[in-house]
Amino acid sequence: MATVMKPPASPLTTAEIAALALSLAHLGSGPQAAAARHGLRHAFEHLQLDDDVTATTLATLTEPLPAAVADRARTIASAITSRLVIRLHYRDVSGRITVRDVDPVTCMVHREHWYLVGMCRMRGAIRAFRFDRIIATEPTFVPARPHPAERFLPFQGKRAA
């Protein structure tokens, strides 16, 4: 009988974790979503990340989003996958509401907040939009310009141990 040896698995990158977490975020709270979140928590146990910021971030990654935010997350995920511009109705920290067309790059979580990272066409620069400040999302049929996620995510050059 032959012994099958698997090569050691490489750790997940920041972009891979963000993609998995975004996929789970808008699943809701059904049994499949709960099992998938449990699997993600299990994967995180092997990353040996000890600081409080990381612990808070990982907790946010594995909690379901509120229903209205989850709906917007689905539209955002679809725009990222389809490589199409997304129109955001966004309330900034001062309470001002703007409508912005964004070339979506990726999503990320930092502490207790989800963010869409994208090239804001209104500002002509990369911006991070907090999910809880996005009032509405509208899909468009405008192709997004390519922007590699690796250039815009923190710690992208590092792999978890």
Side-chain angles (χ1 to χ4, degrees), residues 11-12 17 40 42-50 54 58 160-161:
L12 297 172
I17 290 171
L40 190 58
H42 180 73
F44 290 149
E45 289 172 4
H46 300 287
L47 294 180
Q48 300 174 0
L49 303 171
D50 298 329
T54 303
L58 297 182

Side-chain angles (χ1 to χ4, degrees), residues 22-93:
L22 179 62
S23 297
L24 294 177
H26 57 74
L27 284 179
S29 56
Q32 289 179 330
R37 282 190 190 88
H38 177 76
L40 190 58
R41 273 192 226 87
H42 180 73
F44 290 149
E45 289 172 4
H46 300 287
L47 294 180
Q48 300 174 0
L49 303 171
D50 298 329
D51 63 271
D52 289 340
V53 172
T54 303
T56 303
T57 299
L58 297 182
T60 302
L61 282 168
T62 56
E63 289 298 317
L65 291 171
V69 178
D71 287 342
R72 293 188 291 273
R74 274 189 281 285
T75 306
I76 290 167
S78 178
I80 291 169
T81 302
S82 303
R83 296 189 174 127
L84 295 173
V85 170
I86 187 164
R87 182 162 294 133
L88 304 178
H89 298 252
Y90 189 74
R91 179 179 291 126
D92 68 17
V93 70

Side-chain angles (χ1 to χ4, degrees), residues 56-160:
T56 303
T57 299
L58 297 182
T60 302
L61 282 168
T62 56
E63 289 298 317
L65 291 171
V69 178
D71 287 342
R72 293 188 291 273
R74 274 189 281 285
T75 306
I76 290 167
S78 178
I80 291 169
T81 302
S82 303
R83 296 189 174 127
L84 295 173
V85 170
I86 187 164
R87 182 162 294 133
L88 304 178
H89 298 252
Y90 189 74
R91 179 179 291 126
D92 68 17
V93 70
S94 302
R96 287 182 299 251
I97 297 173
T98 56
V99 177
R100 301 166 183 238
D101 286 350
V102 176
D103 296 338
V105 176
T106 192
C107 291
M108 61 178 274
V109 171
H110 180 68
R111 297 188 182 188
E112 57 277 328
H113 298 290
W114 278 88
Y115 295 87
L116 164 64
V117 178
M119 180 62 73
C120 176
R121 291 186 171 194
M122 183 173 93
R123 298 284 187 228
I126 223 48
R127 292 286 190 263
F129 300 95
R130 247 175 62 175
F131 273 30
D132 62 332
R133 292 186 184 151
I134 298 172
I135 299 166
T137 54
E138 297 175 39
T140 71
F141 296 104
V142 178
R145 294 179 206 116
H147 302 282
E150 296 80 27
R151 294 181 49 211
F152 303 109
L153 288 174
F155 317 115
Q156 191 61 48
K158 299 179 184 176
R159 287 191 171 258

